[in-house]
Amino acid sequence: MKKITIGLLGYGTVGSGVASILTNNRYDINTRTNTDITIKKALVRNLLKERPFSEGIIFTDKPEEIIMDPEIDIVVEVMGGIEPARSLILAALNNGKNVVTANKDLLALHGSELFATAEQNGRDLYFEASVAGGIPIIAALKQSFTANRISSIVGIINGTTNFILSAMTEQGRDFADVLREAQEQGYAEADPTSDIEGLDAGRKLAILSSLAFNTQVSFNDVYAEGISKISPADIQYAEELGCVIKLLAIAKNQEDGLEVRVHPALLPKKHPLATVNGVYNAIFVVGDAVGATMFYGKGAGSLPTGSAVVSDIIQVVRNMAAGSEGQGKSNFYRHYPIKKVEDFTTGYYIRLKVKDEPRVFATIALFFAEAGISFNSIIQKPRSNNNAEIVLVTHPCKEGQLRQALQSLNSYSKLNKIYNVIRLETNGF
Ligand code: NAP
Ligand code: HSE
């Protein structure tokens, strides 16, 4: 049996999951690939820490001992961060190693440089674990959808925010309270900014949309907005409107360009994504031939993410056996313009407090009519001190039109407060 040797850069949550899978499923993996796959070395910072599934692995804090080791065939980067991960992957590729990475932050920022280096060296660079943990969405986009022109991807691709919104919905609790619990339970990181502000989902969406639309989409192209302004009242009104609130990652290929955006949105309860709760992820992909498809599973965690990494290792091993490394490169043959935020088209939910007096609603309706916006539904509830709380739900319009209406509204003397503006996704499902 041929022997393939792995060097891990990192042996934390994901790295130890990879070692666990390669140990526990060794017989099946080796038989399926007709190869003896062994982890030789792992890079860590703390050499004194006890590590699970580490029998036979040499731990080092010197990356060159892995990158320069002539016996190592595949370098698996599961250390995270931008540097030194970027330099180490480049060095590994330039040194003739194939590379597997789980690092979405790095790919979303430096993907083109890394893929170009892999191509120049005729090496593989695989990244299934970078989006939605254990869900095999990258392989599906690279292989299973290639007969299609994909029109849209709508995903719940951040487990932390889905856990928070689900708990707020199910238990009526507020954002800060659930975030605290998510941190205590280890779902949310000590610094949760990247998750709750939509940046993590934005990076993942850049990767998915590049593959889906055969064009280079970078994180800077993605409009990202987080969930920290969502309140229990918004969730309650969404319920009245037959919707749930989710942090959606949306990529649409439209005649005037690509819309790539991450933001909280009201989603009709009948949409399959509306039932995806807790830390689970799901991705809804529409192709012109296949129609609507949905992928569901665990978006993070040691074994789900390890599963994606090991599937990449197995693919690289098969490529090495066939002598076809470096063939699976991304094919960015299209060049679409990225649409500006003002041109996004969605429905809107606007919750506001105004004076409860004659002509007030008529005036508000006029601001929206002047911007060419039509209402879908309206909820009004009397509040104390001669105020009323109003929820306006618009038919789809351009964001630029909404901004015009909000500008007029903001200068209206009878307006007390705009609590929140949330997009409503009914278009294109
Ligand atoms: P982690 O638990 O923090 O593990 C990181 C590992 O890398 C640790 O073993 C750490 O060593 C080592 N390391 C980090 N920087 C190092 C440096 N400069 N020199 C030497 N060793 C270094 O991280 P993780 O959760 O496994 O995540 C790894 C990657 O997978 C990240 O890119 C992440 O975005 C991605 N990912 C993670 C998940 C998930 O569920 N965790 C899901 C999808 C993708 P020590 O152990 O000594 O500290
Ligand atoms: N912080 C990420 C999430 C981990 O909550 O989904 C997986 O990338």
mmCIF file of all heavy atoms in Angstrom, residues 9-15 43-47 49 51 60-61 77-81 83-84 102-105 129-130 133 299-302 305, ligand 1:
data_model
loop_
_atom_site.group_PDB
_atom_site.id
_atom_site.type_symbol
_atom_site.label_atom_id
_atom_site.label_comp_id
_atom_site.label_asym_id
_atom_site.label_seq_id
_atom_site.Cartn_x
_atom_site.Cartn_y
_atom_site.Cartn_z
ATOM 1 N N LEU A 9 -0.728 21.995 10.245
ATOM 2 C CA LEU A 9 -0.389 23.303 10.827
ATOM 3 C C LEU A 9 -1.543 23.640 11.756
ATOM 4 O O LEU A 9 -2.586 24.127 11.308
ATOM 5 C CB LEU A 9 -0.250 24.367 9.730
ATOM 6 C CG LEU A 9 0.814 24.109 8.657
ATOM 7 C CD1 LEU A 9 0.818 25.223 7.614
ATOM 8 C CD2 LEU A 9 2.195 23.968 9.290
ATOM 9 N N GLY A 10 -1.415 23.310 13.038
ATOM 10 C CA GLY A 10 -2.487 23.519 14.018
ATOM 11 C C GLY A 10 -3.060 22.191 14.480
ATOM 12 O O GLY A 10 -3.256 21.266 13.675
ATOM 13 N N TYR A 11 -3.301 22.111 15.784
ATOM 14 C CA TYR A 11 -3.877 20.890 16.352
ATOM 15 C C TYR A 11 -4.860 21.311 17.449
ATOM 16 O O TYR A 11 -4.775 20.891 18.588
ATOM 17 C CB TYR A 11 -2.768 20.000 16.932
ATOM 18 C CG TYR A 11 -3.151 18.537 17.067
ATOM 19 C CD1 TYR A 11 -2.901 17.639 16.035
ATOM 20 C CD2 TYR A 11 -3.757 18.051 18.226
ATOM 21 C CE1 TYR A 11 -3.242 16.302 16.155
ATOM 22 C CE2 TYR A 11 -4.098 16.718 18.350
ATOM 23 C CZ TYR A 11 -3.834 15.848 17.321
ATOM 24 O OH TYR A 11 -4.171 14.522 17.438
ATOM 25 N N GLY A 12 -5.795 22.212 17.074
ATOM 26 C CA GLY A 12 -6.821 22.670 18.025
ATOM 27 C C GLY A 12 -8.116 21.921 17.760
ATOM 28 O O GLY A 12 -8.115 20.703 17.545
ATOM 29 N N THR A 13 -9.228 22.654 17.747
ATOM 30 C CA THR A 13 -10.546 22.035 17.553
ATOM 31 C C THR A 13 -10.574 21.216 16.266
ATOM 32 O O THR A 13 -10.940 20.033 16.261
ATOM 33 C CB THR A 13 -11.629 23.139 17.488
ATOM 34 O OG1 THR A 13 -11.515 23.945 18.650
ATOM 35 C CG2 THR A 13 -13.023 22.553 17.406
ATOM 36 N N VAL A 14 -10.202 21.834 15.147
ATOM 37 C CA VAL A 14 -10.311 21.145 13.851
ATOM 38 C C VAL A 14 -9.177 20.134 13.684
ATOM 39 O O VAL A 14 -9.407 18.979 13.274
ATOM 40 C CB VAL A 14 -10.319 22.164 12.683
ATOM 41 C CG1 VAL A 14 -10.460 21.441 11.357
ATOM 42 C CG2 VAL A 14 -11.443 23.175 12.860
ATOM 43 N N GLY A 15 -7.942 20.540 14.021
ATOM 44 C CA GLY A 15 -6.792 19.637 13.847
ATOM 45 C C GLY A 15 -6.992 18.330 14.596
ATOM 46 O O GLY A 15 -6.747 17.236 14.058
ATOM 47 N N LEU A 43 2.041 21.313 13.945
ATOM 48 C CA LEU A 43 2.546 22.582 14.477
ATOM 49 C C LEU A 43 1.593 23.087 15.559
ATOM 50 O O LEU A 43 0.379 23.166 15.335
ATOM 51 C CB LEU A 43 2.616 23.619 13.347
ATOM 52 C CG LEU A 43 3.014 25.042 13.765
ATOM 53 C CD1 LEU A 43 4.511 25.113 14.078
ATOM 54 C CD2 LEU A 43 2.639 26.053 12.695
ATOM 55 N N VAL A 44 2.136 23.448 16.724
ATOM 56 C CA VAL A 44 1.329 24.057 17.790
ATOM 57 C C VAL A 44 2.160 25.156 18.438
ATOM 58 O O VAL A 44 3.361 25.258 18.199
ATOM 59 C CB VAL A 44 0.933 23.007 18.872
ATOM 60 C CG1 VAL A 44 -0.061 22.000 18.336
ATOM 61 C CG2 VAL A 44 2.157 22.308 19.447
ATOM 62 N N ARG A 45 1.475 25.962 19.268
ATOM 63 C CA ARG A 45 2.234 26.969 20.029
ATOM 64 C C ARG A 45 2.729 26.373 21.340
ATOM 65 O O ARG A 45 3.858 26.568 21.740
ATOM 66 C CB ARG A 45 1.331 28.174 20.331
ATOM 67 C CG ARG A 45 1.263 29.174 19.212
ATOM 68 C CD ARG A 45 0.393 30.335 19.596
ATOM 69 N NE ARG A 45 -0.986 29.905 19.749
ATOM 70 C CZ ARG A 45 -2.029 30.517 19.235
ATOM 71 N NH1 ARG A 45 -1.870 31.617 18.545
ATOM 72 N NH2 ARG A 45 -3.236 30.060 19.416
ATOM 73 N N ASN A 46 1.854 25.612 21.989
ATOM 74 C CA ASN A 46 2.147 25.098 23.321
ATOM 75 C C ASN A 46 2.512 23.616 23.245
ATOM 76 O O ASN A 46 1.648 22.749 23.082
ATOM 77 C CB ASN A 46 0.905 25.317 24.200
ATOM 78 C CG ASN A 46 1.115 24.834 25.606
ATOM 79 O OD1 ASN A 46 2.171 24.273 25.929
ATOM 80 N ND2 ASN A 46 0.116 25.051 26.447
ATOM 81 N N LEU A 47 3.807 23.351 23.381
ATOM 82 C CA LEU A 47 4.284 21.964 23.239
ATOM 83 C C LEU A 47 3.995 21.120 24.480
ATOM 84 O O LEU A 47 4.119 19.896 24.434
ATOM 85 C CB LEU A 47 5.796 21.964 22.957
ATOM 86 C CG LEU A 47 6.197 22.471 21.567
ATOM 87 C CD1 LEU A 47 7.700 22.670 21.469
ATOM 88 C CD2 LEU A 47 5.721 21.516 20.479
ATOM 89 N N LYS A 49 1.033 21.009 26.109
ATOM 90 C CA LYS A 49 -0.390 20.649 26.240
ATOM 91 C C LYS A 49 -0.628 19.184 25.863
ATOM 92 O O LYS A 49 -0.045 18.685 24.896
ATOM 93 C CB LYS A 49 -1.178 21.553 25.288
ATOM 94 C CG LYS A 49 -2.601 21.782 25.644
ATOM 95 C CD LYS A 49 -3.034 23.063 24.923
ATOM 96 C CE LYS A 49 -4.448 23.061 24.478
ATOM 97 N NZ LYS A 49 -4.762 24.245 23.694
ATOM 98 N N ARG A 51 -2.614 16.307 24.071
ATOM 99 C CA ARG A 51 -3.388 16.345 22.821
ATOM 100 C C ARG A 51 -4.061 14.990 22.591
ATOM 101 O O ARG A 51 -3.372 13.951 22.654
ATOM 102 C CB ARG A 51 -2.465 16.631 21.628
ATOM 103 C CG ARG A 51 -1.512 17.810 21.804
ATOM 104 C CD ARG A 51 -2.141 19.112 21.398
ATOM 105 N NE ARG A 51 -1.251 20.229 21.720
ATOM 106 C CZ ARG A 51 -1.548 21.492 21.455
ATOM 107 N NH1 ARG A 51 -2.682 21.807 20.880
ATOM 108 N NH2 ARG A 51 -0.725 22.467 21.787
ATOM 109 N N THR A 60 5.639 20.141 17.038
ATOM 110 C CA THR A 60 6.721 21.115 16.896
ATOM 111 C C THR A 60 6.137 22.523 16.938
ATOM 112 O O THR A 60 4.959 22.723 16.609
ATOM 113 C CB THR A 60 7.467 20.912 15.550
ATOM 114 O OG1 THR A 60 8.431 21.958 15.404
ATOM 115 C CG2 THR A 60 6.536 20.954 14.351
ATOM 116 N N ASP A 61 6.964 23.488 17.350
ATOM 117 C CA ASP A 61 6.536 24.891 17.242
ATOM 118 C C ASP A 61 7.329 25.601 16.135
ATOM 119 O O ASP A 61 7.309 26.821 16.046
ATOM 120 C CB ASP A 61 6.669 25.619 18.599
ATOM 121 C CG ASP A 61 8.077 25.556 19.175
ATOM 122 O OD1 ASP A 61 8.982 25.000 18.506
ATOM 123 O OD2 ASP A 61 8.283 26.062 20.300
ATOM 124 N N GLU A 77 -3.631 23.101 6.707
ATOM 125 C CA GLU A 77 -3.574 24.335 7.503
ATOM 126 C C GLU A 77 -4.879 24.479 8.286
ATOM 127 O O GLU A 77 -5.920 24.806 7.718
ATOM 128 C CB GLU A 77 -3.340 25.539 6.580
ATOM 129 C CG GLU A 77 -3.116 26.851 7.324
ATOM 130 C CD GLU A 77 -4.406 27.543 7.733
ATOM 131 O OE1 GLU A 77 -5.238 27.819 6.856
ATOM 132 O OE2 GLU A 77 -4.571 27.800 8.940
ATOM 133 N N VAL A 78 -4.793 24.238 9.607
ATOM 134 C CA VAL A 78 -5.953 24.408 10.493
ATOM 135 C C VAL A 78 -5.515 25.209 11.719
ATOM 136 O O VAL A 78 -5.906 24.907 12.848
ATOM 137 C CB VAL A 78 -6.577 23.033 10.887
ATOM 138 C CG1 VAL A 78 -7.442 22.498 9.770
ATOM 139 C CG2 VAL A 78 -5.513 22.012 11.260
ATOM 140 N N MET A 79 -4.694 26.228 11.476
ATOM 141 C CA MET A 79 -4.234 27.082 12.571
ATOM 142 C C MET A 79 -5.048 28.376 12.635
ATOM 143 O O MET A 79 -5.181 28.981 13.692
ATOM 144 C CB MET A 79 -2.733 27.390 12.444
ATOM 145 C CG MET A 79 -2.344 28.183 11.215
ATOM 146 S SD MET A 79 -0.557 28.146 10.895
ATOM 147 C CE MET A 79 0.052 29.038 12.300
ATOM 148 N N GLY A 80 -5.616 28.807 11.493
ATOM 149 C CA GLY A 80 -6.446 30.012 11.461
ATOM 150 C C GLY A 80 -5.622 31.286 11.360
ATOM 151 O O GLY A 80 -4.390 31.269 11.410
ATOM 152 N N GLY A 81 -6.333 32.417 11.186
ATOM 153 C CA GLY A 81 -5.683 33.727 11.096
ATOM 154 C C GLY A 81 -5.077 33.967 9.717
ATOM 155 O O GLY A 81 -5.087 33.087 8.855
ATOM 156 N N GLU A 83 -1.736 35.791 9.044
ATOM 157 C CA GLU A 83 -0.307 35.461 9.131
ATOM 158 C C GLU A 83 -0.026 34.790 10.461
ATOM 159 O O GLU A 83 -0.633 35.167 11.462
ATOM 160 C CB GLU A 83 0.559 36.720 8.969
ATOM 161 C CG GLU A 83 0.628 37.268 7.557
ATOM 162 C CD GLU A 83 1.345 36.339 6.553
ATOM 163 O OE1 GLU A 83 1.870 35.295 6.954
ATOM 164 O OE2 GLU A 83 1.334 36.682 5.369
ATOM 165 N N PRO A 84 0.790 33.754 10.492
ATOM 166 C CA PRO A 84 1.661 33.251 9.424
ATOM 167 C C PRO A 84 1.000 32.236 8.479
ATOM 168 O O PRO A 84 1.693 31.689 7.616
ATOM 169 C CB PRO A 84 2.794 32.587 10.199
ATOM 170 C CG PRO A 84 2.142 32.080 11.447
ATOM 171 C CD PRO A 84 1.074 33.078 11.797
ATOM 172 N N ALA A 102 -8.826 25.118 6.099
ATOM 173 C CA ALA A 102 -10.187 25.375 6.593
ATOM 174 C C ALA A 102 -10.392 26.873 6.784
ATOM 175 O O ALA A 102 -11.386 27.296 7.360
ATOM 176 C CB ALA A 102 -10.377 24.666 7.933
ATOM 177 N N ASN A 103 -9.456 27.674 6.265
ATOM 178 C CA ASN A 103 -9.325 29.064 6.681
ATOM 179 C C ASN A 103 -10.083 30.036 5.760
ATOM 180 O O ASN A 103 -9.539 30.571 4.802
ATOM 181 C CB ASN A 103 -7.820 29.394 6.687
ATOM 182 C CG ASN A 103 -7.507 30.645 7.445
ATOM 183 O OD1 ASN A 103 -8.335 31.538 7.541
ATOM 184 N ND2 ASN A 103 -6.305 30.717 7.976
ATOM 185 N N LYS A 104 -11.371 30.286 6.093
ATOM 186 C CA LYS A 104 -12.183 31.181 5.235
ATOM 187 C C LYS A 104 -11.700 32.620 5.282
ATOM 188 O O LYS A 104 -11.770 33.343 4.297
ATOM 189 C CB LYS A 104 -13.659 31.115 5.632
ATOM 190 C CG LYS A 104 -13.997 31.718 6.991
ATOM 191 C CD LYS A 104 -14.469 30.721 7.988
ATOM 192 C CE LYS A 104 -14.479 31.248 9.387
ATOM 193 N NZ LYS A 104 -14.880 30.287 10.380
ATOM 194 N N ASP A 105 -11.209 33.050 6.465
ATOM 195 C CA ASP A 105 -10.743 34.439 6.581
ATOM 196 C C ASP A 105 -9.613 34.684 5.586
ATOM 197 O O ASP A 105 -9.587 35.689 4.877
ATOM 198 C CB ASP A 105 -10.215 34.718 7.996
ATOM 199 C CG ASP A 105 -11.261 34.460 9.068
ATOM 200 O OD1 ASP A 105 -12.269 33.808 8.761
ATOM 201 O OD2 ASP A 105 -11.074 34.902 10.208
ATOM 202 N N ALA A 129 -13.707 22.745 4.162
ATOM 203 C CA ALA A 129 -14.107 23.108 5.529
ATOM 204 C C ALA A 129 -14.244 24.616 5.735
ATOM 205 O O ALA A 129 -14.675 25.056 6.797
ATOM 206 C CB ALA A 129 -13.085 22.560 6.521
ATOM 207 N N SER A 130 -13.883 25.410 4.717
ATOM 208 C CA SER A 130 -13.900 26.864 4.924
ATOM 209 C C SER A 130 -15.319 27.426 4.965
ATOM 210 O O SER A 130 -15.534 28.529 5.458
ATOM 211 C CB SER A 130 -13.075 27.557 3.839
ATOM 212 O OG SER A 130 -13.663 27.336 2.576
ATOM 213 N N GLY A 133 -18.765 24.261 7.652
ATOM 214 C CA GLY A 133 -18.239 23.089 8.369
ATOM 215 C C GLY A 133 -18.377 21.786 7.608
ATOM 216 O O GLY A 133 -17.744 21.581 6.583
ATOM 217 N N GLY A 299 -22.464 23.372 10.928
ATOM 218 C CA GLY A 299 -21.565 24.322 10.281
ATOM 219 C C GLY A 299 -20.257 24.507 11.009
ATOM 220 O O GLY A 299 -19.401 25.287 10.577
ATOM 221 N N ALA A 300 -20.057 23.826 12.118
ATOM 222 C CA ALA A 300 -18.825 23.980 12.889
ATOM 223 C C ALA A 300 -18.667 22.782 13.806
ATOM 224 O O ALA A 300 -19.505 21.889 13.840
ATOM 225 C CB ALA A 300 -18.877 25.278 13.697
ATOM 226 N N GLY A 301 -17.545 22.800 14.553
ATOM 227 C CA GLY A 301 -17.283 21.720 15.503
ATOM 228 C C GLY A 301 -16.153 20.839 15.016
ATOM 229 O O GLY A 301 -15.853 20.763 13.818
ATOM 230 N N SER A 302 -15.545 20.159 15.959
ATOM 231 C CA SER A 302 -14.337 19.382 15.695
ATOM 232 C C SER A 302 -14.563 18.298 14.629
ATOM 233 O O SER A 302 -13.841 18.244 13.618
ATOM 234 C CB SER A 302 -13.897 18.749 17.019
ATOM 235 O OG SER A 302 -12.717 18.045 16.856
ATOM 236 N N THR A 305 -16.269 19.617 11.035
ATOM 237 C CA THR A 305 -15.272 20.339 10.236
ATOM 238 C C THR A 305 -14.139 19.396 9.850
ATOM 239 O O THR A 305 -13.631 19.426 8.715
ATOM 240 C CB THR A 305 -14.740 21.567 11.015
ATOM 241 O OG1 THR A 305 -15.855 22.261 11.564
ATOM 242 C CG2 THR A 305 -13.960 22.490 10.123
HETATM 243 P P1 NAP B 1 -8.070 26.501 17.362
HETATM 244 O O1 NAP B 1 -8.848 25.528 18.152
HETATM 245 O O2 NAP B 1 -7.757 27.825 17.985
HETATM 246 O O3 NAP B 1 -6.693 25.781 16.960
HETATM 247 C C1 NAP B 1 -5.629 26.474 16.340
HETATM 248 C C2 NAP B 1 -4.393 25.591 16.412
HETATM 249 O O4 NAP B 1 -3.345 26.226 15.701
HETATM 250 C C3 NAP B 1 -3.869 25.336 17.823
HETATM 251 O O5 NAP B 1 -3.378 24.040 17.939
HETATM 252 C C4 NAP B 1 -2.748 26.350 17.974
HETATM 253 O O6 NAP B 1 -1.731 25.894 18.862
HETATM 254 C C5 NAP B 1 -2.213 26.395 16.564
HETATM 255 N N1 NAP B 1 -1.634 27.704 16.217
HETATM 256 C C6 NAP B 1 -2.296 28.858 15.964
HETATM 257 N N2 NAP B 1 -1.441 29.830 15.638
HETATM 258 C C7 NAP B 1 -0.196 29.294 15.712
HETATM 259 C C8 NAP B 1 1.105 29.795 15.499
HETATM 260 N N3 NAP B 1 1.315 31.069 15.170
HETATM 261 N N4 NAP B 1 2.154 28.937 15.647
HETATM 262 C C9 NAP B 1 1.945 27.653 15.995
HETATM 263 N N5 NAP B 1 0.719 27.104 16.190
HETATM 264 C C10 NAP B 1 -0.327 27.925 16.056
HETATM 265 O O7 NAP B 1 -8.765 26.821 15.971
HETATM 266 P P2 NAP B 1 -9.852 25.917 15.213
HETATM 267 O O8 NAP B 1 -11.198 26.198 15.798
HETATM 268 O O9 NAP B 1 -9.372 24.538 15.142
HETATM 269 O O10 NAP B 1 -9.859 26.601 13.768
HETATM 270 C C11 NAP B 1 -8.828 26.355 12.836
HETATM 271 C C12 NAP B 1 -9.249 26.877 11.469
HETATM 272 O O11 NAP B 1 -10.414 26.201 11.040
HETATM 273 C C13 NAP B 1 -9.582 28.364 11.420
HETATM 274 O O12 NAP B 1 -9.182 28.888 10.173
HETATM 275 C C14 NAP B 1 -11.116 28.376 11.515
HETATM 276 O O13 NAP B 1 -11.714 29.524 10.915
HETATM 277 C C15 NAP B 1 -11.429 27.141 10.698
HETATM 278 N N6 NAP B 1 -12.743 26.559 11.024
HETATM 279 C C16 NAP B 1 -13.016 26.226 12.299
HETATM 280 C C17 NAP B 1 -14.250 25.653 12.586
HETATM 281 C C18 NAP B 1 -14.589 25.217 13.987
HETATM 282 O O14 NAP B 1 -15.662 24.644 14.189
HETATM 283 N N7 NAP B 1 -13.716 25.424 14.969
HETATM 284 C C19 NAP B 1 -15.180 25.453 11.568
HETATM 285 C C20 NAP B 1 -14.852 25.789 10.257
HETATM 286 C C21 NAP B 1 -13.610 26.356 9.997
HETATM 287 P P3 NAP B 1 -2.038 25.688 20.433
HETATM 288 O O15 NAP B 1 -2.971 24.505 20.513
HETATM 289 O O16 NAP B 1 -0.724 25.394 21.047
HETATM 290 O O17 NAP B 1 -2.662 26.955 20.887
#
